Amino acid sequence: MSQRPTLRTVAAEAGVSHQTVSRVVNGDPTVTDGVRSKVLAAMRRLDYRPSAGARALASGRTEAVGVVLPHNPDFAFSNDHLIRLVGGADQELAARGYGMLLSTREEPDDAASAHRRFTRRRQVDGLLVEAGLGGEALPALRSAGYPTIVIGYTDEQLHCVHPDDEGGAYAVVQHLLALGHRRIGVVGGPPENRLAMAARLRGVRRAFADARRPLPDDLMESGDFTAASGHAAAGRLLARPEPPTAIFAFNDGMAFGVLRRLREDGLAVPGAVSVAGFDDTAAAELVDPPLTSVSPHSVEVGRRAARILLDLLEGRPPALRENVVPSTLKVRASTAPPRPAD
């Protein structure tokens, strides 16, 4: 087996010192174009690949980015939206030569535990933090010196990237109102996502206001993004003296729970009750009937967050603190005009 080429074999091939090869590998701007071209050509001929560890030691950079998901692993790795976010971020990082370290909650009931491995020891150059840490966690990351981009909303003065939650919710309710629904039940999300949920609720209220219709506040329920919570919320909505003819759940997981409860109660969808969700997960097209849902373009949100962080690391801070990715309503068979009153 032939020996792997080293810095010195590249230097001999290029006819330069091994110190010069090291300067080329580490992007030293004082190396002339002619010398750099000669060294790079020698590296290609020998199929020499610099060690990431050596580059990190020389530059003081890890060439890795941390992704913090303040969720229990079971939830994080079963949530289609989060998986797409991480996938989009990884695509952008890989394209620009960076690795990724992923961290979820270390302690089930402590969201902030997801970031502690990065404050204990510096392992990455910067962080992408999915919204939900709050409290002292984000300031702690800033104090640790990490350039940080929040994926979602934040009260901190940090750059953030999020989908157009208000516009997506507005589109859902506008769609349901245009079909003729007037009593539209809403299943909101958990308090740790209060800023995103507040944006979606603004979209709901704005759609009713623009249609000059009163918002049925008696049809507001909340859940925790799980199917079980959507199932329970649907039960409470259906028990109202005047139940809704349509239900909009603030994520697809809860919408799937709503569908299950309606099926158990023998209520046809969309014949008796229309149902819509948010996130446009892969399962949205597979359930029966296929679910009307908002696509937040999760992959693009992840890509854009990674792009902004890498630009920040390279000295190009973004012009806007808040970066919004447009959402798209995907209309499917779970929504239709309400059944005429008997």
Side-chain angles (χ1 to χ4, degrees):
M1 181 184 293
S2 60
Q3 230 177 2
R4 181 177 174 180
T6 66
L7 216 74
R8 291 183 182 276
T9 54
V10 172
E13 176 75 13
V16 298
S17 69
H18 69 273
Q19 292 93 337
T20 297
V21 175
S22 177
R23 287 163 59 204
V24 170
V25 167
N26 291 300
D28 188 334
T30 64
V31 178
T32 65
D33 290 342
V35 171
R36 180 177 288 101
S37 297
K38 189 160 55 171
V39 171
L40 292 175
M43 289 168 62
R44 284 193 295 272
R45 287 195 298 273
L46 296 172
D47 193 26
Y48 173 75
R49 297 176 186 179
S51 158
R55 287 201 307 269
L57 285 172
S59 65
R61 300 277 288 272
T62 66
E63 295 187 347
V65 163
V67 177
V68 179
L69 302 180
H71 306 284
N72 295 319
D74 287 348
F75 178 82
F77 297 126
S78 64
N79 184 283
D80 193 79
H81 170 63
L82 293 176
I83 291 170
R84 291 182 184 187
L85 278 179
V86 172
D90 189 47
Q91 289 172 21
E92 188 69 25
L93 294 171
R96 291 173 63 171
Y98 277 73
M100 183 179 76
L101 290 180
L102 180 64
S103 179
T104 57
R105 286 189 189 187
E106 294 179 351
E107 300 166 28
D109 298 320
D110 182 7
S113 66
H115 81 278
R116 290 195 185 116
R117 70 187 63 185
F118 295 119
T119 53
R120 287 194 291 260
R121 183 162 59 93
R122 194 171 188 91
Q123 299 170 282
V124 293
D125 296 327
L127 294 174
L128 299 173
V129 180
E130 202 268 336
L133 282 179
E136 299 176 358
L138 286 173
L141 294 175
R142 180 187 286 173
S143 298
Y146 284 110
T148 301
I149 303 295
V150 175
I151 302 177
Y153 298 77
T154 179
D155 290 324
E156 300 291 324
Q157 290 301 305
L158 293 168
H159 294 289
C160 65
V161 181
H162 61 76
D164 184 2
D165 292 282
E166 180 176 343
Y170 178 89
V172 171
V173 176
Q174 187 182 52
H175 165 66
L176 293 172
L177 288 168
L179 289 172
H181 295 279
R182 298 295 175 260
R183 290 192 54 79
I184 300 171
V186 173
V187 183
E192 57 263 35
N193 292 83
R194 62 183 178 82
L195 297 176
M197 297 305 98
R200 293 181 193 181
L201 187 56
R202 284 197 303 272
V204 171
R205 295 187 183 281
R206 183 160 62 88
F208 272 96
D210 286 355
R212 303 187 181 202
R213 295 280 177 182
L215 176 67
D217 285 319
D218 63 313
L219 295 181
M220 308 292 287
E221 287 289 344
S222 62
D224 61 7
F225 283 166
T226 64
S229 71
H231 181 276
R236 295 191 294 271
L237 288 170
L238 294 170
R240 299 287 203 273
E242 291 184 70
T245 62
I247 298 176
F248 170 32
F250 277 9
N251 85 329
D252 284 359
M254 294 190 298
F256 299 149
V258 171
L259 288 171
R260 181 162 62 87
R261 179 56 190 254
L262 293 170
R263 188 164 52 248
E264 290 170 358
D265 286 4
L267 294 170
V269 177
V273 182
S274 286
V275 179
F278 202 113
D279 285 343
D280 191 34
T281 57
E285 290 188 281
L286 302 177
V287 292
D288 183 24
L291 181 69
T292 291
S293 185
V294 175
S295 171
H297 299 291
S298 308
V299 172
E300 176 56 27
V301 171
R303 288 189 70 107
R304 190 174 300 187
R307 191 179 309 136
I308 290 171
L309 177 59
L310 296 183
D311 287 348
L312 194 62
L313 291 174
E314 293 169 7
R316 298 189 301 276
L320 299 174
R321 188 187 74 82
E322 187 174 19
N323 298 266
V324 182
V325 175
S327 298
T328 304
L329 177 63
K330 301 290 185 70
V331 177
R332 299 191 179 97
S334 67
T335 52
R339 181 181 292 165
D342 294 332

